[in-house]
Amino acid sequence: MADDTLKLPFIKLDIPKPKAWDFAALATLLAAAGAAGANLYLALGLPPGQSLGDGATTAFALAQLAIGCAGLLVLGKTAKLGTIWGNLCAVAAMMAGVSGVLLAAALWSAA
């Protein structure tokens, strides 16, 4: 009876330790999320029918565009190094930066 037991194979997960560029990618991701959150917070705090203004909207859109480009540049470096954490964070930062530009544009056109 002891021979009928099922033994599961041991799966060794080889998770690499983060490198310096992985932390740069994470910082870019946090900056993109923070800028998008600040934009949304300011826009939702206004009374209905009032907009942030052209200057603030342009500043948010340009900041998010710069963060998205920085995410793309960091992605190039982390892809060259072959680190999975940096690649994932850099792609997420790039997407968050581009979505922040779209958020700023949508909030500007909605008002």
Side-chain angles (χ1 to χ4, degrees), residues 3-111:
D3 295 336
D4 293 339
T5 60
L6 178 67
K7 290 187 177 183
L8 295 175
F10 179 72
I11 299 173
K12 182 181 176 187
L13 295 176
D14 188 24
I15 300 174
K17 292 183 180 180
K19 296 180 181 177
W21 281 101
D22 296 338
F23 293 115
L26 181 63
T28 309
L29 174 60
L30 293 176
N39 188 7
L40 197 58
Y41 178 76
L42 289 176
L44 292 177
L46 295 174
Q50 187 178 4
S51 68
L52 283 176
D54 291 339
T57 303
T58 303
F60 273 115
L62 289 177
Q64 288 288 66
L65 185 62
I67 292 170
C69 290
L72 186 60
L73 291 173
V74 171
L75 176 62
K77 183 64 176 178
T78 58
K80 187 176 180 182
L81 294 175
T83 58
I84 187 67
W85 297 115
N87 291 345
L88 293 175
C89 286
V91 167
M94 184 181 59
M95 297 302 260
V98 171
S99 66
V101 172
L102 296 175
L103 173 67
L107 292 174
W108 176 68
S109 65

